[in-house]
Amino acid sequence: MKLLTHNLLSSKCLKGVKVGYPLRIVAKDVKISESEFNKEFVKKIIPKLDWKVFVNAAVQIGHGNDLSDELIDDYEEDEEYLKKVHHVLMEVEIINGELICPETERVFPISSGIPNLLLNENEVS
């Protein structure tokens, strides 16, 4: 699971959960896979991210050291910064681990890079 995916996931459909975001990450296996840098894609996706959640997720899995807590001004013009974001966003992948609901502590497994957020019938709100 890439951190782009994590930035979009929540557990708000769990019974009793009001927000369910962001899910906490416990990464057991992390893989780095090179991918071609696409400056335009990175520039367009950054405004769609919840930046603080993205950086915190990167820190949780040990890959947030190159990112600033706040999005830098004029990031669109800083190719080195965009490459750092690209690396964490597109090349770092959680292979095995867990996502944890911040309100209920319900654990969702990540296996072979795929998060399983399927709910049991009694968990659906």
Side-chain angles (χ1 to χ4, degrees):
M1 179 191 78
K2 297 192 187 300
L3 293 187
L4 176 58
T5 302
H6 172 263
N7 207 263
L8 303 171
L9 298 176
S10 83
S11 58
K12 66 181 174 187
C13 55
L14 269 172
K15 190 181 290 185
V17 171
K18 296 195 184 319
V19 179
Y21 182 83
L23 298 170
R24 191 169 75 245
I25 301 173
V26 176
K28 296 177 182 163
D29 297 313
V30 176
K31 179 174 108 176
I32 307 298
S33 302
E34 286 189 32
S35 71
E36 188 175 337
F37 175 62
N38 182 330
K39 182 178 181 177
E40 292 308 310
F41 172 78
V42 177
K43 283 171 34 176
K44 288 180 181 176
I45 202 69
I46 286 176
K48 296 175 177 29
L49 294 173
D50 183 323
W51 185 257
K52 288 186 185 286
V53 169
F54 172 62
V55 172
N56 190 43
V59 169
Q60 286 177 44
I61 64 169
H63 288 272
N65 296 341
D66 288 339
L67 301 174
S68 53
D69 289 339
E70 299 291 327
L71 186 58
I72 65 169
D73 293 331
D74 298 327
Y75 67 87
E76 301 96 336
E77 308 308 317
D78 188 337
E79 189 161 324
E80 285 308 307
Y81 190 74
L82 292 173
K83 285 181 178 179
K84 290 175 185 180
V85 173
H86 162 82
H87 171 71
V88 176
L89 196 62
M90 304 304 296
E91 296 181 334
V92 176
E93 184 174 7
I94 301 162
I95 302 301
N96 294 300
E98 300 172 335
L99 298 172
I100 303 168
C101 173
E103 294 172 49
T104 66
E105 298 297 313
R106 165 65 151 85
V107 174
F108 300 96
I110 303 168
S111 180
S112 300
I114 302 168
N116 180 349
L117 275 74
L118 293 174
L119 301 177
N120 299 317
E121 195 172 310
N122 64 336
E123 295 178 305
V124 180
S125 56

